[in-house]
Amino acid sequence: ALAFAPVVVFGLLLHDLIDRYLFSVWAVIGAQVAGAFLMLWAERWREASMGVGRAKGDGADLPPRKALSIGFAQCLALWPGTSRSMVTIVGGYLAGLTPAKAAEFSFLVGLPTLAGAALYKGMKSGPAMIAVFGWEHVLLGAAVAAISALVAVKFLVHIISRHGMGLFAYYRLILAMILAAFYLF
């Protein structure tokens, strides 16, 4: 609950400003690049801190202050193009969680966050979606998204546990270059 609260407050307060100023191709490309560098920095920080025994937490004893700090990190994901999973995993690293526990905590915090965002957006555009697609297709889409998320999280936890976030950082940089090239030429 503590990791969920900050994004609710800031999301509701900043929603219109985010829509107005951060929903552009270049803002998303900037978020891709910034996120990649954040991931690379977090990996180096984690590797250095493991040498002194800091990144050993399993999440079961996560103090409220650290859970809240992960929630504030999640607020960075309000910038379109920033990965919510990435910033909460980085927050988990900084809170002393192992890569696997940081990824699992990111998933758990994502459930209420993404459900709340979907309900909020659904209240605005849900009737139009249902009018166009029908209840059956909207519910099927939600079910497929939930199953896909579970599979993706299992894959993400496996990769992060073995290799850290570096691979995802390079993926973000390559994607940003492709998007920039596409929109420049």
Side-chain angles (χ1 to χ4, degrees):
L2 288 173
F4 170 65
V7 79
V8 171
V9 172
F10 284 100
L12 291 173
L13 289 175
L14 301 174
H15 180 267
D16 292 338
L17 290 172
I18 292 166
D19 279 351
R20 188 175 313 133
Y21 296 110
L22 292 178
F23 268 95
S24 72
V25 170
W26 297 108
V28 170
I29 291 171
Q32 290 283 325
V33 172
F37 285 116
L38 177 64
M39 293 167 94
L40 292 171
W41 171 82
E43 276 304 317
R44 287 200 176 131
W45 182 89
R46 183 184 64 82
E47 289 169 4
S49 70
M50 285 194 62
V52 293
R54 282 158 117 190
K56 61 183 184 292
D58 68 359
D61 58 351
L62 189 65
R65 179 179 54 80
K66 289 189 176 185
L68 188 61
S69 70
I70 294 171
F72 280 111
Q74 184 176 214
C75 291
L76 293 172
L78 293 170
W79 179 3
T82 304
S83 167
R84 191 208 57 78
S85 300
M86 178 259 302
V87 294
T88 54
I89 291 169
V90 168
Y93 280 12
L94 297 176
L97 297 178
T98 63
K101 292 301 176 183
E104 289 172 7
F105 190 78
S106 173
F107 174 72
L108 291 174
V109 161
L111 292 173
T113 302
L114 297 174
L119 286 173
Y120 181 77
K121 291 286 186 180
M123 289 175 13
K124 288 184 155 192
S125 60
M129 263 200 329
I130 292 168
V132 171
F133 299 111
W135 277 103
E136 303 84 16
H137 292 104
V138 171
L139 292 175
L140 177 63
V144 169
I147 292 167
S148 299
L150 289 173
V151 171
V153 166
K154 186 172 177 72
F155 172 74
L156 177 72
V157 170
H158 175 74
I159 295 295
I160 288 177
S161 295
R162 298 186 103 194
H163 306 289
M165 292 191 298
L167 294 173
F168 295 107
Y170 294 118
Y171 158 77
R172 289 176 69 87
L173 288 172
I174 291 167
L175 179 61
M177 287 187 287
I178 290 169
L179 288 172
F182 180 78
Y183 283 98
L184 284 174
F185 302 108

